[in-house]
Amino acid sequence: VINVLIADALIINLAVEGFRIFDALPIRLLLAPRARTQAEMNKLYAVTNPLYLPFRMQLTLKFFVFGIGFAYGIPVLYPLTLLFFLVSWVTDRSGLLRVFHGILVTTDKLVILLGMI
């Protein structure tokens, strides 16, 4: 459990979702600097990903459930959960404000479904 949460907190949350090394970073480094206008650069810099919010929601719920459910027996999960939520705050702030455009709003069905779990 601890190894999975450490990988999710640091590698998935920071490298994959934070720096967007697979979709946004190559475009930003290779194509955006060669754009002729600022509008073209802005269009290349922004990324669309309709699965961003559901993925972030499931990752947050995983840490919440593991942090509450297993931290009583494994106290090291308390600071690990705190680390995840601090890094997640920076990642989401950067992703929602700078990287993505046209984020789809989640429907009530998704929230109700996750609430029933």
Side-chain angles (χ1 to χ4, degrees):
V1 172
I2 294 174
N3 292 338
V4 170
L5 293 180
I6 289 173
D8 282 345
L10 297 177
I11 296 171
I12 300 292
N13 202 15
L14 195 59
V16 176
E17 292 291 323
F19 296 122
R20 307 295 304 172
I21 58 176
F22 296 113
D23 56 353
L25 192 62
I27 293 172
R28 284 186 207 154
L29 294 178
L30 300 175
L31 298 178
R34 293 179 178 88
R36 293 182 182 169
T37 63
Q38 184 66 42
E40 187 180 343
M41 182 182 278
N42 291 345
K43 188 185 285 186
L44 288 171
Y45 190 84
V47 178
T48 55
N49 186 356
L51 297 176
Y52 181 74
L53 284 179
F55 180 75
R56 299 297 297 159
M57 187 179 235
Q58 69 86 16
L59 196 60
T60 302
L61 282 173
K62 179 182 3 179
F63 265 86
F64 185 74
V65 168
F66 282 154
I68 298 295
F70 293 115
Y72 183 73
I74 310 169
V76 74
L77 292 181
Y78 287 123
L80 188 59
T81 304
L82 177 66
L83 173 73
F84 168 78
F85 282 113
L86 290 175
V87 171
S88 183
W89 177 72
V90 173
T91 300
D92 288 338
R93 184 172 180 205
S94 172
L96 293 174
L97 292 178
R98 295 184 187 97
V99 177
F100 294 106
H101 65 87
I103 293 289
L104 301 173
V105 179
T106 57
T107 62
D108 296 339
K109 292 178 185 178
L110 178 64
V111 175
I112 290 170
L113 179 67
L114 290 172
M116 291 190 321
I117 293 174

